[in-house]
Amino acid sequence: MNYRSYLISSGISCALIFIFISCSKYPSRGSDSLPSRVDFNFHIKPIISDRCFKCHGPDNGVREADLYLHTQEGLYAALASDPSRHVIVPGDASSSEIIHRITSDDVDTRMPPEGSNLSLTNHEKALITRWIDQGAEWKPHWAFIPPEKSSLPKVRK
């Protein structure tokens, strides 16, 4: 084996060892782990904008069931078909219609509908459920939230 081929083979071996050590030293959190505090702008809004806005978003021309999920009023609104039920009941996922719809086994009830080619993962369903159980705090777009000054770290010298 000449010096060049030795360097190439040892470089590949070192890279593989580095990857193995990195993966074992820093295990991934996995897709099943949920954050302790679910944030609307970071966790929930991306899900509903990707999976729900097609039919329940800001476009009046394609909105279905007179249900809009892009505003705070729409997320907490009573259903037109049954005013005693609400899309989201903050603090009570089991009473929230959105949870019934995204977890339904009935293809006529389940959202997103089968023909839309959209679906929610179990992780996304769990995030939405946890967010509702934590009070379903709605937040405006991040650009409209004023920044908060953080405290300075304490130093000894």
Side-chain angles (χ1 to χ4, degrees), residues 52 67 69 75 77 79 81-82 84-89 91-113 120 124-126 128-130 132-133:
C52 307
L67 178 65
L69 302 178
L75 279 173
L79 301 177
S81 61
D82 183 1
S84 67
R85 300 200 39 92
H86 289 79
V87 177
I88 291 176
V89 179
D92 189 2
S94 63
S95 296
S96 300
E97 186 65 21
I98 196 169
I99 298 300
H100 293 291
R101 295 298 182 114
I102 67 175
T103 60
S104 177
D105 291 330
D106 180 8
V107 294
D108 295 330
T109 304
R110 184 176 45 241
M111 291 290 146
L120 291 167
E124 292 167 333
K125 293 174 188 178
I128 294 169
T129 302
R130 179 169 284 182
I132 293 171
D133 283 337

Side-chain angles (χ1 to χ4, degrees), residues 15 18 35 44 71 86 91-92 96 111 116-117 121 128 133 136 140 142:
F18 174 75
I44 304 303
T71 66
H86 289 79
D92 189 2
S96 300
M111 291 290 146
S116 70
N117 294 324
T121 65
I128 294 169
D133 283 337
W142 63 266

